Amino acid sequence: MKHFLLTMAGVFAGLLLFLVGVPFLLIVLAAGASGPEPTPARTVVELDLREVITDQDSANPFASFGQPSLSVLKIVTTLRKAETDDHVRGLLVRLPEAGMEPAMADEISDSLRRFRKTGKPVIVFSQGVYPAGATPSTYMLAAAGGQVWMQPGASLQATGLVSEDIFLKRLFERYGVRAEYEQRKEFKNAVNGYLQSDYTAAHREATRSMLESIYGSALNRAAADRRQSPATLKAALESGPLMAEEALRLNLIDRVDYLDAARKQLTDRAGKDAEFRDLRDYARSQRDLKSLTGPAIAVVTAEGGIVTGGDGGANPFAAEGAIYSDLLENALRAAIEDEDVRAIVLRVNSPGGSDTASEQIRRAVEAAKAAGKPVVVSMGPYAASGGYWISSNASAIVAQPTTLTGSIGVFGGKIALGEALARVGVDLRQVGVGADYASAFSLGSGLTESQRAAFGRWMDQIYARFIGRVSEGRRLPVERVESLAKGRVWTGAQARELGLVDQIGGFYDAVDRARALSGVNQEMRLKWMASEGSPFEAFERLFGVSAASARTLAASAWVLGDPRAQALLDEMAWSRMPPGSAAVRAPAPAY
């Protein structure tokens, strides 16, 4: 009887969801599904960079169900189309106040410089740039747009670049928490916050070097766009914080005025009845009418922490992504089997993750090369540690000057809470069988001497394997790789000088490199390959609706013209490292 009641309750819940939830979803989809409006004859595209921006498009149909998220790849590919669109007469860029990732700023600024060459007017409008995030890179992005406007009374505070880290060692000691970690090697500082009370010499050296490289790159590029010497620009910025009127006097900006004045100037230049169109809306109107046959360059995207397996059980509402080794391998092998695909661009934005998942993906890259299809990696803000592992065997690597890469190293360990819990009346006890190492990663106690020795040997083996993979992929002597490794993070500019990266540039530079390596002497279309799980499976997990029914629902929405119906399931958030495992993951600087 109990089972019958539970079954009936489930049936009732399913019917309720089908009768109420599914129609609700259809209504929501239909609300914005009247189809993309055609681009007005005189259009000014508006790019608002004040929101959170990812490197790659979110594939999750649920996480950003309202307004579609904005990504760097969406921005650069859409601006590339706008360059040759006669309907587009200008561009308005809204600058973020809190800064943005340096490599993101590099990529977008490259697109702005290219767009300016068309002769179409560009205004970058700012309501202030404040010391949060990589603000020198944000100013560099503004300078790339040509005309820089600031609202009266706004402030320009791009006086330098600082990274700040939290160290918990003294707190742990006070409360009886033990951080038990092994690092390979001294520059692998992802867990230094647990182990130290201040920067180690290696940690400080690497961080300062990284900041100097990023700061210098931003100053040099901005100075070129502002037609000043780097020294002059540096002195002007560092004299801040500056009010907009002072920034104008120092030739850091071009005009102090309000947004409506900027809109009017662009409207006057664009022509009578010109309309402003948000970049995402404009992108929706630009359906690719090119032939879907013929030679192609496959684009495979990878963003987030690297984990093993597929996305089974992933939270469909999660905003943060992960790179699932099975799914990314499947995408690469689909590109291998596609007869139209002649080369592959693998876009990577990852601080790393699982060593075994990284090796699985690296092997798929090797398989593509063996099949005669060169693979060019385009690095986003991060391609470090495991992100570099999966990139190291590519035919070529293209990175922005401020991409964070390298971090060839490994760490692993645990937090032991036994003493801390005992102080508040919680006792941990254990019973076990087998070798002493079986209890190495229990929650209660720290590592014994023999356990640490065994764990250290295992870490050494993973580190040596990482070194060997980089040596093979980059065709560098093992000794050379060892000198560059030790867990140290390099910027793209530094990595280029060291031989870890082949070229400085963005996504379309990687596309051009892939085309050249393919040997095809004609224009090739981009073919975006799915590297995430199906949204229909997510729908089934959430609502108990069959995948076939979900496809029918999505097909209905597609007919109505909503591009979200074609979205794929997003990556779930990076999960914490399981006890006793190793991670090839880079630290994230806190600007």
Side-chain angles (χ1 to χ4, degrees):
M1 184 66 178
K2 180 180 178 181
H3 292 297
F4 174 77
L5 291 175
L6 288 174
T7 302
M8 291 305 296
V11 170
F12 176 77
L15 286 172
L16 182 64
L17 190 59
F18 180 79
L19 295 173
V20 178
V22 172
F24 172 76
L25 283 175
L26 280 171
I27 291 170
V28 173
L29 288 171
S34 56
E37 297 180 3
T39 305
R42 295 177 179 84
T43 297
V44 177
V45 174
E46 183 167 345
L47 170 59
D48 194 338
L49 298 174
R50 295 173 297 173
E51 60 187 89
V52 175
I53 298 175
T54 59
D55 181 63
Q56 301 159 22
D57 284 346
S58 173
N60 190 338
F62 302 111
S64 56
F65 197 75
Q67 180 80 321
S69 61
L70 192 61
S71 72
V72 171
L73 287 187
K74 174 69 72 179
I75 292 168
V76 300
T77 54
T78 302
L79 288 180
R80 180 63 67 102
K81 294 177 180 178
E83 291 173 12
T84 56
D85 187 343
D86 292 336
H87 293 167
V88 175
R89 304 296 180 88
L91 176 65
L92 173 64
V93 181
R94 304 291 302 276
L95 203 65
E97 298 176 13
M100 64 191 309
E101 292 275 8
M104 287 185 175
D106 280 335
E107 189 95 42
I108 297 170
S109 66
D110 287 343
S111 291
L112 295 185
R113 292 186 190 96
R114 182 182 171 96
F115 188 91
R116 283 171 52 198
K117 291 179 180 180
T118 66
K120 300 176 182 180
V122 180
I123 293 179
V124 179
F125 186 84
S126 172
Q127 290 177 281
V129 176
Y130 299 97
T135 49
S137 295
T138 306
Y139 176 75
M140 178 271 300
L141 187 154
Q147 285 196 58
V148 184
W149 291 34
M150 290 195 79
Q151 181 173 300
S155 179
L156 175 57
Q157 302 183 28
T159 57
L161 190 58
V162 173
S163 178
E164 188 172 54
D165 294 277
I166 295 176
F167 295 93
L168 301 173
K169 180 181 179 181
R170 292 196 303 117
L171 177 70
F172 282 3
E173 288 175 345
R174 174 177 297 181
Y175 292 101
V177 176
R178 295 183 60 178
E180 299 275 358
Y181 283 95
E182 289 283 319
Q183 299 159 286
R184 299 295 183 273
K185 291 192 176 181
E186 64 266 29
F187 291 101
K188 195 70 176 178
N189 50 56
V191 291
N192 273 11
Y194 299 153
L195 303 175
Q196 309 294 335
S197 57
D198 196 355
Y199 292 102
T200 63
H203 192 173
R204 186 180 298 277
E205 174 195 338
T207 302
R208 178 176 291 277
S209 175
M210 175 190 67
L211 294 178
E212 287 175 346
S213 180
I214 293 172
Y215 190 36
S217 175
L219 287 174
N220 290 334
R221 301 185 90 181
D225 286 320
R226 297 299 299 175
R227 298 181 181 178
Q228 299 181 29
S229 71
T232 299
L233 182 72
K234 182 176 184 289
L237 288 173
E238 292 183 1
S239 68
L242 304 167
M243 299 302 288
E245 293 75 12
E246 295 175 292
L248 179 64
R249 179 176 55 81
L250 292 172
N251 194 30
L252 294 173
I253 63 174
D254 299 288
R255 183 165 168 174
V256 177
D257 215 328
Y258 291 95
L259 180 61
D260 56 350
R263 290 183 182 278
K264 183 178 185 304
Q265 183 174 113
L266 286 169
T267 301
D268 292 343
R269 292 282 302 274
K272 185 180 179 181
D273 301 326
E275 298 183 26
F276 283 82
R277 179 65 63 88
D278 180 80
L279 180 129
R280 280 173 292 210
D281 293 335
Y282 173 72
R284 289 184 60 194
S285 69
Q286 298 302 298
R287 297 204 170 182
D288 195 351
L289 301 178
K290 293 181 180 179
S291 170
L292 298 181
T293 60
I297 296 173
V299 180
V300 179
T301 56
E303 183 166 21
I306 302 171
V307 296
T308 58
D311 66 337
N315 176 7
F317 294 98
E320 185 182 351
I323 299 171
Y324 295 95
S325 57
D326 287 0
L327 297 180
L328 188 53
E329 179 186 14
N330 291 342
L332 288 167
R333 293 195 180 278
I336 293 172
E337 295 169 4
D338 191 320
E339 294 182 356
D340 287 342
V341 170
R342 306 298 176 83
I344 300 169
V345 170
L346 174 59
R347 176 72 172 199
V348 177
N349 181 35
S350 174
S354 162
D355 61 312
T356 54
S358 299
E359 173 64 11
Q360 179 184 354
I361 296 167
R362 186 210 63 82
R363 190 167 183 272
V365 172
E366 178 67 25
K369 291 169 55 183
K373 300 187 178 184
V375 180
V376 177
V377 166
S378 169
M379 290 181 169
Y382 280 95
S385 203
Y388 191 76
W389 190 317
I390 69 176
S391 305
S392 61
N393 211 80
S395 308
I397 299 175
V398 179
Q400 289 290 355
T402 56
T403 293
L404 298 184
T405 188
S407 193
I408 303 166
V410 59
F411 72 88
K414 68 173 183 176
I415 298 290
L417 299 174
E419 182 182 343
L421 292 174
R423 293 183 182 184
V424 295
V426 178
D427 297 312
L428 289 176
R429 301 289 185 264
Q430 61 179 244
V431 176
V433 296
D436 174 59
Y437 192 78
S439 64
F441 292 92
S442 62
L443 186 63
S445 59
L447 295 171
T448 66
E449 185 176 338
S450 63
Q451 288 170 344
R452 184 176 290 278
F455 185 56
R457 288 194 299 272
W458 179 56
M459 299 286 285
D460 288 336
Q461 292 171 344
I462 297 174
Y463 181 61
R465 186 178 183 84
F466 198 169
I467 294 287
R469 290 310 190 196
V470 175
S471 174
E472 296 168 9
R474 297 302 300 168
R475 298 181 182 178
L476 294 171
V478 169
E479 297 76 17
R480 172 64 173 164
V481 177
E482 287 177 337
S483 70
L484 301 176
K486 303 179 183 179
R488 181 160 181 167
V489 176
W490 305 100
T491 65
Q494 294 170 328
R496 172 66 182 85
E497 295 298 319
L498 298 171
L500 297 176
V501 163
D502 296 292
Q503 181 180 337
I504 296 300
F507 173 72
Y508 279 104
D509 295 298
V511 170
D512 291 341
R513 187 77 175 247
R515 181 181 294 111
L517 290 174
S518 74
V520 177
N521 295 320
Q522 67 180 81
E523 191 72 17
M524 289 195 286
R525 61 191 172 92
L526 299 182
K527 185 168 185 177
W528 298 77
M529 311 296 290
S531 57
E532 282 103 4
S534 164
F536 309 120
E537 296 168 1
F539 205 101
E540 183 174 7
R541 287 199 305 271
L542 273 180
F543 303 124
V545 180
S546 72
S549 298
R551 288 188 176 88
T552 302
L553 172 63
S556 302
W558 183 85
V559 170
L560 292 171
D562 191 336
R564 286 170 296 182
Q566 302 177 58
L568 298 174
L569 183 63
D570 193 15
E571 310 155 47
M572 76 172 193
W574 164 253
S575 59
R576 66 180 180 88
M577 184 176 63
S581 64
V584 283
R585 190 170 175 87
Y591 298 116

